[in-house]
Amino acid sequence: MEELDRTATARLRQSGQRYTDSRAQLVHLLSTSDRPLTIPEILNERTGMPQSSVYRNLAVLEDAGLVQRVASSDDWARFELAEDLTEHHHHQICTKCGEVRDFTLPHHLETSLDDCLSSVATATGFTLQHHRLDLVGLCESCTS
Amino acid sequence: MEELDRTATARLRQSGQRYTDSRAQLVHLLSTSDRPLTIPEILNERTGMPQSSVYRNLAVLEDAGLVQRVASSDDWARFELAEDLTEHHHHQICTKCGEVRDFTLPHHLETSLDDCLSSVATATGFTLQHHRLDLVGLCESCTS
DNA sequence: CTCAGTGCAAAGGATTTGCATGCCG
DNA sequence: CGGCATGCAAATCCTTTGCACTGAG
């Protein structure tokens, strides 16, 4: 956790910004969640922080490469810690309620996937930053 | 193409809707594109169709299972023909300009991926509808 | 005739921004 | 002090909706 704070401080400093309390709260909240969070969820957890600050700080954190935005099926942005600050994982996205959950893939499949995607990218002149693999379907509570 | 029109007519009829000219235009436009299109792009191609009709018809087509929405990195919705009307494919998403391009994966990898994802889904009580695999990075023109 | 489809303009709603104030360095 | 950070409220902008009109069956 302290490690995380140090990384955060460093990356923010690089963008000429400070690691304020609000930002630390956001980072800590995201780092302890097992899934990406929406703004409303963040607001509920962190009463006292106004929407605009949440949006603004998440944007700053995103710029600094500490946080990333996750697309879902509803129209709410979700946020999680940046790839390199967490274990590499994927998302289960519910098409009914929009809920997003994390999951991981067996290492060998992940590896061959990576190799293959790299060559596809190279072949098409695309500079690969990372890949995104999502399961789309119905979460347990929406299966009725 | 006639096959496509027949499918469209049938699926729309099931939702109690007609396969009108506007809708046919949208379907044809999407079916001839090698990537998902944004509303502005659709409006440019199909001058004369007002925004509200485009949005409304795309919603109807989505309901009927003919068209699906694609998430990107910018905040514009993109649309493509439904999975089962096209070859299964994936997307290269540019983080700079938001551009989305289609690409496909070797069959064997696709198969083992599918198998694996099915078992992950089963294990977590998730009802898998389909998967989504995207390459995220910089497209050729944004690599500078 | 009926009811889906269309177009225009106005409304919605998540997200962003202007501006004045507070605060760390 | 200077510039980042914060909060409130107002503005943005993609998208959706209300309503009146047209047209297919």
Side-chain angles (χ1 to χ4, degrees):
Chain A
M1 187 64 109
E2 292 177 357
E3 172 65 28
L4 180 57
D5 287 326
R6 247 172 290 132
T7 308
T9 308
R11 294 199 189 168
L12 280 170
R13 186 131 46 199
Q14 275 200 314
S15 337
Q17 314 239 255
R18 306 193 203 115
Y19 188 48
T20 61
D21 286 350
S22 320
R23 292 171 187 176
Q25 284 175 8
L26 290 173
V27 167
H28 291 167
L29 182 56
L30 293 179
S31 80
T32 50
S33 175
D34 63 342
R35 61 190 175 78
L37 299 176
T38 63
I39 268 83
E41 285 171 336
I42 293 174
L43 286 171
N44 286 339
E45 300 289 335
R46 294 290 342 140
T47 14
M49 204 185 303
Q51 278 203 3
S52 65
S53 295
V54 173
Y55 278 110
R56 204 136 34 183
N57 282 327
L58 285 174
V60 169
L61 293 172
E62 198 181 2
D63 265 356
L66 289 163
V67 155
Q68 63 194 18
R69 200 176 290 241
V70 175
S72 174
S73 63
D74 56 24
D75 20 60
W76 287 4
R78 280 148 211 269
F79 296 85
E80 66 182 7
L81 278 196
E83 184 85 79
D84 66 325
L85 299 177
T86 55
E87 195 185 10
H88 176 66
H89 64 270
H90 302 286
H91 296 135
Q92 285 180 340
I93 300 176
C94 179
T95 48
K96 195 161 172 193
C97 69
E99 199 55 63
V100 179
R101 296 217 89 80
D102 293 352
F103 76 91
T104 56
L105 224 51
H107 206 280
H108 68 278
L109 187 59
E110 196 68 63
T111 307
S112 51
L113 192 57
D114 256 335
D115 291 346
C116 182
L117 295 182
S118 302
S119 47
V120 170
T122 305
T124 53
F126 189 81
T127 307
L128 185 55
Q129 291 171 342
H130 58 94
H131 71 257
R132 196 163 75 186
L133 172 62
D134 304 319
L135 293 192
V136 181
L138 295 171
C139 72
E140 205 155 11
S141 28
C142 284
T143 312
S144 44
Chain B
M1 187 62 110
E2 293 177 356
E3 171 66 27
L4 179 56
D5 287 326
R6 247 172 291 134
T7 308
T9 309
R11 292 197 190 170
L12 280 170
R13 185 131 45 200
Q14 276 199 314
S15 337
Q17 315 239 252
R18 307 197 200 109
Y19 189 47
T20 61
D21 287 349
S22 319
R23 291 170 188 177
Q25 285 175 8
L26 290 174
V27 167
H28 292 167
L29 182 56
L30 293 179
S31 80
T32 52
S33 174
D34 64 340
R35 60 190 176 77
L37 299 175
T38 63
I39 268 83
E41 285 171 336
I42 293 174
L43 286 171
N44 286 339
E45 301 289 335
R46 296 287 345 136
T47 13
M49 202 184 303
Q51 276 203 2
S52 64
S53 294
V54 173
Y55 277 110
R56 205 135 34 182
N57 282 326
L58 286 173
V60 169
L61 293 172
E62 198 180 2
D63 266 355
L66 289 163
V67 155
Q68 63 194 18
R69 201 177 289 242
V70 175
S72 173
S73 62
D74 55 26
D75 18 60
W76 285 2
R78 281 149 210 270
F79 295 86
E80 65 182 7
L81 278 197
E83 184 87 78
D84 66 325
L85 300 177
T86 55
E87 195 185 10
H88 176 66
H89 64 271
H90 302 285
H91 295 136
Q92 284 181 340
I93 300 176
C94 179
T95 48
K96 194 161 173 193
C97 69
E99 199 57 61
V100 179
R101 296 217 89 81
D102 294 350
F103 77 91
T104 56
L105 224 51
H107 206 280
H108 68 277
L109 187 59
E110 197 68 63
T111 307
S112 50
L113 192 57
D114 257 334
D115 291 346
C116 182
L117 294 183
S118 303
S119 47
V120 170
T122 305
T124 53
F126 190 80
T127 307
L128 185 56
Q129 291 171 343
H130 58 92
H131 70 258
R132 195 163 74 187
L133 173 62
D134 305 318
L135 293 192
V136 181
L138 295 171
C139 73
E140 204 155 10
S141 27
C142 284
T143 313
S144 43

